[in-house]
Amino acid sequence: MTEKKIGAFICRCGGNISDYVDVEQVRKEIAREDNVTVAGINMFSCSDASQEDMIANIRENGLDGIVIASCSPKLHLNTFRAMAERAGLNPYQYIQVNIREQCSWAHTHNKDAATRKAVSLVREGVAKAKLSEPLTPIELTAQPSVMVIGAGLAGMRAALALGEMGVTVYLVEAAPEPGGSIKGRKSLFPDNSSGHELVESLLERIRANGNIVLYTSAEILEKTGSVGNFTIRIQVDGKNETTLSVGAVIVSTGSGSYRPTDGEFGFGLSCVLTLNQYIDMLDSSTDTFLLNGRKIRNIAYIYCVGSRRTGKEGNRYCSRYCCSAAVHTAVRTHEVDPSIGQFHFYRDIRTYGAYEELYHEALKKGSVFLKYGLKDPPQVTEVSGSGLRIRAKDLLTGAETVELETDLVVLVTGMVPGENSQLIDILKLPVGKEGFFNEIHPKLRPVETVMDGIYIAGACQGPKTLSESVVSGMAAVAKSASLVLTGKVNLDPFVARVLTEKCTGCGECISSCPYGAISMKETPDGTVVEITESLCKGEGACVAICNEEALEIKGYGHNMIKAMIEALGG
Amino acid sequence: MIVDVKSTVLPKILVFSTDSISDPGIDLAGASHMDYSTGAMVISVPCSSGIHPGWILHALKNGFDGVFIAADGTDCPFLEDCTARTGNIVAAAQALLKENGIDPMRLKMAAICSVCSESFVSHVEKFNSVLLKLEA
Amino acid sequence: MAISREHILALLAQNLENRGSVMPVRQKLLTRWADGLGLPKGGKTILYTGHMYQIMPFIRAMAAKNKKMDGSWLEKYAGFATVVNRIVNIVNLLSMGASSDDIQFYNDILRNIVTILGRHGIKPGYLYEDELYAGALAYDLGLDSVFERHARAVHDLLRRCGAELIITVDPHTTQMFRLVYPEVLDNFDIKVKSYLEVLAGSEREIKGEEPERSIVVHDSCVYSRYLDMVDEPRRLLAGKGFKIVEPLFSGRLTHCCGGPVESLFPEKAREIAEKRLESLPEGTKDVATMCPICLFNLKEAAEERVHTADIASYLL
Amino acid sequence: MESAVTLADMGFDVALVEKEASIGGKMILLSKVFPTLDCSSCISTPKMAAVANHPRITLFTYSNVKSVKRDAHGFRVRVVSRNSYVDPQKCTGCSQCETVCTVARPDQFNDGMIARRAIYIPFPQSVPKKAVIEKKGLSPCSQACPAGIRAHGIVSLARAGKFREAAKRHLEDSPFPAALSCLCYAPCENRCTKGKTKKGAPIPIKGVSSLMANGYYGSNDQVAIKTAPDAPEKRVAVMDAGPAGLSAAYHLALNGYEVTVFTKDSAPGGILAEGVPEAGLSRELVAREIDNVIGAGVIIDTDTSMTPEEAGRRGFAAALAPVPWNPDLVMDPVVKDGIVTYPELVDRPYLLAHAIGWGRRAAVMVQALVEKRNSEDALVLVPALKREKIPAKDPHYTVATKLSEENVQEAVSGCLDCGVCSECRQCVEVCPGGAIDLAMKPSTCEIDTDSVVLATGFRLFDPARKPLLGYSRYPNVITAMQMDRLLAPTRPYNALLRPSDGKIPGNIAFVLCTGSRDVNAGNPRCSRICCMYSIKQAQLIMGALPISEVTIYYIDIRAFGKGYDEFFQQAEGMGTHFVKGKVVRVEEVKDQNLRVHFEDMEGKGGLRQANHDLVVLSVGAISNPGIVKVLGDDRVEQDELSYIREVDGTVEPGRTSVDGIFVAGAASGPKDIPDSVVHAGAASAQAASYLIRTGALK
Amino acid sequence: MIRVNGEFRQRARLDKNFNAGQCFNCGTCTALCPVGMAILPRQLFRYVLLGAEEKIVEYSDSIYSCLLCRMCEENCPEGVLIAENIRALRRYLVEDVYHI
């Protein structure tokens, strides 16, 4: 590669560089470097005129590598890569050297030293350019289809959205019926919509859409392939197996519900129910609202059952939806029978955002809220003849003990992760410490997982209200659609590669890769590792642990880095 | 005429920064005109967990007096355990340096985020004085 | 406590029921302020004092006596107070000895109000001895049934004299007529305006001659928060050339003077008045009140520290 | 940003319009974010870069949407880019302009806690990193000057101690700084807004100018005024050596003309040379000012009579000559039949500035005529000022009181910077890229689009609306946004200090639900974010100041998101005090410390007070409904709190009442960052689905 | 110890002027009350909501200490008509306890 022709251009940045760095000196020094065919100075490299000059220069001199020493690559790397491309050069053979933010501006008091540093930096750039090779982004084709696992509301809505975009969707549900946890619900918060009707209307639209195939009582058996091209084998009704190929997968398997332990706040006594059990009762009651044939006078709710615990029992996290669900249920109860007294033993009422209006409604209709502390939780005991007695310290009334005779105790229980061990195993889904599926980053990439092409939506990711589940389902639609609609996946070319001659096949690197991109390969010359480029993220965790220097990231090769070090250190 | 670099007493520090996290922090130091040693020079890589220990040895054998890893820390866009992994690299590199008779003090690591300009400058200055002492 | 609350309540109820006022002082003392003003009796537009200003001197006297009552016969026979009261007007007994200076002071305020109204061309009528207490205290203390009966009597009186517009002089009477009567009575439709509203709405502008004198406004809780009357007094004072200084708590966020609990918890009332005085801006000299209770209570508490006077005195 | 990138990734072309000069919203200004304490900037900047570099995204920053109108194809969106006076193509973001700018403004990106300049780059990580100038027309003083002097520029330069630059700035507009500062009746001071405020006196502009002019002539330091590079080879004769004529000659010369002034007199200057009492303006100074004219390249031919005809014969392209007073002349110069006229200022000699201004405008007219016409037609006449003795007692001639430099500094520090940019042109001179153009016009463009996504976010509640909390009355009561800035690495004071005295606060209170869950504040809902950001700040404070006490006063702690309650427990574990009871009143006590009043429900009970040295108001989120107004006939429905209503909050997130218009993020209701980002994803899915249904995807 | 007395609760709820049930316990009213009594007015209402009739009698002093100045009401974030609620309690005392 000694015959490589490199052009180096030093930018004055209208004085921002040239006031503190002797650019002419830098140019002279660089012009003496091997392979440097052209060394020039620009007033503003980023200006159109300078770019045109450089393009002409590249073409006239047949340059196959250029270095521009100017500002931070964060500002103009893409500008100049595009310029290189216009000049017919591979954009990855363009090297930017930062002599503004990391040289002239940092060393305004010592022009000599700054100039020396600039020379070193440009030499480093030239060294890099010498060894730079043309790279092309990895392009994968993507199947125009998506599998949605879990036909709860989030999954159904996501499937519908994709179907309406013309994407083929396989909606796979483990239960015999779609609809998830809400299909039997009469009235959902916050707007009292009927769960049954919601599910039915969505199902109707799904059936009317020709792009969606619904599998119920279905099980995922196996997944192979990677982003854009997954092959997934499923089994329906325990017998029929089907193999489907999809570009992306959305997992929306929902959550489970916390089951109190026996005796936890009286759980196990006949009139102690979980919130879901109580809502079932409310949903199934007709005009008269009776408990064991008796009119209900008082109901007590105990909040945060199984949530926000610090000890061994229950979960540490807040289950987010339960406060709103419970106050909504109380409002419904008030509407059924205004004479029922409803007492809520809570810790913090978390009816965030507009759900606050539900809380207000419950208060207005006569619900009384008592605040308990973890030190003195409510005690539920059975009273012969008259039902239940609940006793607690109310922190809002000077921590006085309040005793209440009640007919019913409702334990407001939260969400827990669903039982998904098989799915986790097959899809290699990342699971957080609470057992919910984990996104890559809650803010940057909230529905993506470390497995490219596999997205999560709804309560399988963590407790969510119904509308929040749908929102995340739709967000997953957006991400998967951008994958399958364009039909291709473009990945940065900076992925790992194996220098097979150095690889000893020790396999140390396999476990170091968090993305599962490295595997063993048998070759006639022995066992070496290989990289699945579509899985590799190019961060280089494997590079660091390979003692043989048999792994490197393209564009950051061992030889290149060492040459750069020598150029800088020399 | 360029003065021969070797004749100056300024320690040469190789800084490994990362493209999306610490490099912008170092840029910010310059953009704020915070002065630091001209002996500090930066090579940017995708992630600090991908720095090969051999490079560190190579740098200390090829003209550098110290290597500073401006690590991603908890802000790493790739790995949750980036800090731990980078720590392992430092440990491996220090072992390597010992083998080669180089003082492990010549390697230093700190998490630098995209706005950690002040902290970068103070790390470099501190490291600089450590290196000066080692020379003496 | 000198007389138990229970008995005071009963006494007040009795008085309102039987004597038409919670503070049944002699009729002559209530109307004396209007002597010589030549106000016509009755008419379509009536100035309604509600006795509030007039009774302040007697409350002061009673409070002083009540304090000294330890060991007196009344305490011993407190339980019989209501029985005695049926025959002997205890209040009258207690309030004897109101100072004539005090009487003059409060009467002057009312006379000032009439003078100011006159300057704006407003000459209202007055009910003289027929005028009844509006019932605020009974209402506030929860004596609702007594209050309702009394309100009906007041309404009848007003209808009999054909009043169309009542001009009130204090916030409590204004509140009763404007907010409470229409609520309690079925067909109360007489217009009610505070004299401050009447003045603020008057087209005739009386220019001020008090340039740049600073004055701190102490809003009445009832005017500001019940009746949303914050602007009017300020406009009037500014019109007179006063420089208005707002205390930390002013307008809708005014701080109570403590007066409302004077009759039951005089120490508490004093304590609250003290807090109010502390919250006034540093260097306060003149304070304008617009309610006789505020005036009475702040004046008592402030003694000579600041000069407290009714807004009517400033507007004169 | 999330919506834009997601839609662009799907293959749609996206135009992103942002009113500020940088994208990034509120998040980029935060220090760290809950519950992971990630650095906010580290999360935001990659996304900002992705937006800026995406081939399918066109970015309009510093721009406002003026209207959205539905047409046969979709929507036509009118976008007005606010005038930045900086060519973004040429600006390299080097900040040199910021260092020389003479006008300071409260920095909106630091919640007004510190100042930025009138020309500014929003913040270090801004995208794009380009400067913009905040300019609100011309300041009244500059506007008032008949001679066209940028009085505000002179004042702001003087404030910066740059008297030499001020003199130069004056000389760009007129050659008579001393004469004007001495003789002008100073309409600028008359118009000064400061003088119109209750107790303010106007800025003594005349006095400032006088100090500037005398200082300039006192030093022997001559400034060079730039002349036009390509001088047209045209000659102009000026037959008046008075202020108007010399002013015209000066400006023509600066624009590259070859100018000769002819006068019958033995010395140039007209009224200046003969009519002014020396006590006011010394002959020496007059001579210096005439030297300015000569220095610009004007030839002065004294003791010479000249007529326009003669000038024409001698090959002058144009001639200016005085016109006698004529009562029919109107007050403004007019150009008619190739002749520029305006009245001679009989009896009003103090209108010197007008004469100078008219001379300058006459020069502009001459140029226009010369360039348009044949030389022999271009005859332009300018009247001279009447030469009579100026009465020394004329009230308009009160010579400016002599001010010392300190006096001037004190006086000019009160300048209100009415027009913001003072046009002192320091930035223009320093900009290496020549990017600044004060004559730039705002640009408007129309975009045809198939769908619109509204992502206008939220505003923060203004705590001044709760007077009992003392915000804006007590310096040490700040908002949480200000606290976040104090904690950010790019923070204003470079340390966590309290505003009143720069002390390190040792005992900090957070007041939750300021403007949330409050019918009285017009916001009955919970803002969702305040509990968590307060807990975050508490943790950061305790990290930065380990000995400090932090107390959070709350009604309910709403730590409901993934990992949030654990974060709350962690703060408790670190020693943050949580007190159940809303703070309703803050009063200032000794040393500008603060006493908060609250009901201590879980503690001793009843009313309690506690002292703190800094109080942070955790202000709630309110709607930002401005965008709805520009939607015209396609106005989307709003809810009771003016947030954009989603027609079906359960199954149709992001869909508004208008087909084709979608809402993303906190514009539909307050949301924390993860919820906003996910919601933006959902809105993109809705928009994409709509675009595909309506056949817009190519 | 408070034993919830359903009958007393029911009476309070039926009084159209008693709307303290809306209170979400922020403490604004207590913190602003010029009288400065610990239980005034929020905790007083809690006794009613919990049906603690004996507490109402016990705290009748506080009930009569209220100035009805509405400082609390003006600032109540939930729109509770506090002065009216106090009057309702006084009415209760007058009629059911003192029998006036």
Side-chain angles (χ1 to χ4, degrees), chain A residues 441 443-444, chain B residues 20-21 74-76 113-116, chain D residues 1 23-49 123 125 481 484-485 487-490 533 536 540 673-674 677:
Chain A
H441 191 285
K443 297 176 183 70
L444 278 173
Chain B
S20 55
I21 306 296
T74 51
D75 297 318
C76 179
C113 83
S114 66
V115 284
C116 293
Chain D
M1 296 200 296
I23 54 175
K26 290 186 180 59
M27 181 180 167
I28 182 69
L29 305 173
L30 302 176
S31 50
K32 298 196 170 193
V33 287
F34 60 82
T36 46
L37 290 185
D38 278 349
C39 149
S40 183
S41 162
C42 299
I43 297 173
S44 303
T45 41
K47 195 126 283 188
M48 288 157 76
F123 41 85
Q125 316 89 323
M481 192 66 198
D484 230 296
R485 289 306 304 153
L487 288 165
T490 50
Y533 73 58
K536 171 202 80 179
L540 293 176
I673 297 166
V677 173

Side-chain angles (χ1 to χ4, degrees), chain D residues 169-317:
Chain D
R169 186 69 192 92
H170 185 115
L171 288 170
E172 284 168 5
D173 289 322
S174 112
F176 301 115
L180 276 171
S181 73
C182 177
L183 303 176
C184 186
Y185 69 107
C188 48
E189 293 183 17
N190 199 29
R191 286 279 305 279
C192 176
T193 315
K194 186 84 207 296
K196 293 186 176 13
T197 57
K198 263 195 175 157
K199 33 182 170 172
I203 306 294
I205 300 171
K206 218 171 133 174
V208 175
S209 297
S210 169
L211 185 73
M212 164 198 89
N214 289 317
Y216 173 65
Y217 292 123
S219 73
N220 280 318
D221 179 19
Q222 294 291 309
V223 296
I225 304 300
K226 253 188 223 156
T227 50
D230 297 306
E233 287 178 10
K234 302 268 178 160
R235 294 164 62 219
V236 178
V238 176
M239 273 141 280
D240 172 25
L246 289 175
S247 166
Y250 180 72
H251 285 288
L252 283 166
L254 290 183
N255 282 315
Y257 286 78
E258 195 185 314
V259 192
T260 311
V261 173
F262 296 97
T263 175
K264 292 192 297 283
D265 301 333
S266 56
I271 197 172
L272 294 176
E274 295 171 26
V276 186
E278 269 208 65
L281 184 66
S282 71
R283 294 286 174 271
E284 194 204 336
L285 279 179
V286 173
R288 292 287 296 269
E289 309 244 275
I290 288 165
D291 281 350
N292 290 335
V293 179
I294 295 167
V298 174
I299 300 154
I300 300 181
D301 207 344
T302 52
D303 302 308
T304 309
S305 286
M306 177 60 62
T307 63
E309 296 72 24
E310 174 65 18
R313 277 195 295 279
R314 287 217 210 156
F316 283 95

Side-chain angles (χ1 to χ4, degrees), chain C residues 32-315:
Chain C
R32 188 190 281 164
W33 69 274
D35 288 353
L37 288 175
L39 295 175
K41 179 151 184 184
K44 285 184 178 171
T45 300
I46 288 173
L47 187 80
Y48 204 99
T49 69
H51 302 176
M52 294 292 286
Y53 278 97
Q54 297 95 311
I55 60 176
M56 296 323 288
F58 304 98
I59 287 184
R60 190 171 179 210
M62 186 164 105
K65 276 225 183 97
N66 202 3
K67 238 184 260 171
K68 284 186 252 161
M69 200 145 334
D70 284 311
S72 78
W73 64 273
L74 242 168
E75 196 209 9
K76 283 179 200 150
Y77 300 96
F80 298 113
T82 46
V83 182
V84 176
N85 187 48
R86 284 198 190 137
I87 311 151
V88 186
N89 184 345
I90 291 185
V91 168
N92 208 359
L93 219 64
L94 287 173
S95 64
M96 274 197 299
S99 95
S100 57
D101 279 0
D102 272 5
I103 295 173
Q104 179 76 34
F105 177 83
Y106 284 100
N107 281 351
D108 277 352
I109 295 172
L110 291 171
R111 295 172 73 88
N112 289 346
I113 291 171
V114 170
T115 313
I116 303 164
L117 282 169
R119 282 189 198 148
H120 286 261
I122 299 154
K123 291 242 175 333
Y126 177 47
L127 293 177
Y128 291 92
E129 64 282 359
D130 292 346
E131 193 187 86
L132 291 169
Y133 176 62
L137 190 58
Y139 180 79
D140 287 352
L141 293 176
L143 298 162
D144 282 26
S145 57
V146 184
F147 170 77
E148 256 184 68
R149 282 195 292 279
H150 181 71
R152 243 173 242 121
V154 175
H155 191 197
D156 285 346
L157 167 73
L158 290 167
R159 269 205 291 223
R160 271 202 308 280
C161 78
E164 285 172 11
L165 170 68
I166 305 170
I167 299 178
T168 52
V169 297
D170 74 280
H172 293 273
T173 308
T174 318
Q175 177 213 355
M176 285 300 118
F177 285 149
R178 191 182 289 169
L179 300 179
V180 181
Y181 278 41
E183 181 83 5
V184 174
L185 307 173
D186 300 331
N187 46 2
F188 187 87
D189 54 5
I190 303 169
K191 259 174 85 179
V192 184
K193 272 189 172 179
S194 151
Y195 83 96
L196 294 170
E197 291 170 300
V198 171
L199 294 178
S202 159
E203 302 202 339
R204 211 181 285 183
E205 212 178 306
I206 307 289
K207 273 274 174 248
E209 60 274 3
E210 304 267 8
E212 292 299 303
R213 184 168 155 205
S214 292
I215 191 159
V216 175
V217 178
H218 167 79
D219 287 277
S220 136
C221 301
V222 174
Y223 269 156
S224 66
R225 284 193 281 264
Y226 284 64
L227 297 161
D228 198 19
M229 210 181 100
V230 173
D231 268 8
E232 287 85 350
R234 286 167 174 73
R235 278 217 310 272
L236 292 170
L237 285 169
K240 285 291 277 185
F242 286 103
K243 191 166 163 266
I244 292 161
V245 179
E246 299 285 358
L248 187 56
F249 301 98
S250 76
R252 289 194 68 106
L253 294 174
T254 188
H255 192 292
C256 183
C257 64
V261 293
E262 165 71 31
S263 53
L264 294 175
F265 306 98
E267 290 91 15
K268 200 85 218 173
R270 184 60 59 87
E271 186 189 311
I272 294 163
E274 199 56 51
K275 272 195 216 166
R276 175 44 160 175
L277 289 168
E278 276 167 23
S279 80
L280 297 180
E282 233 168 271
T284 298
K285 286 198 192 95
D286 290 293
V287 179
T289 60
M290 44 200 101
C291 165
I293 299 175
C294 300
L295 178 62
F296 172 80
N297 218 47
L298 289 181
K299 222 170 139 59
E300 289 289 290
E303 291 167 354
E304 298 307 312
R305 278 180 288 169
V306 292
H307 173 243
T308 314
D310 193 273
I311 187 168
S313 329
Y314 293 107
L315 293 178

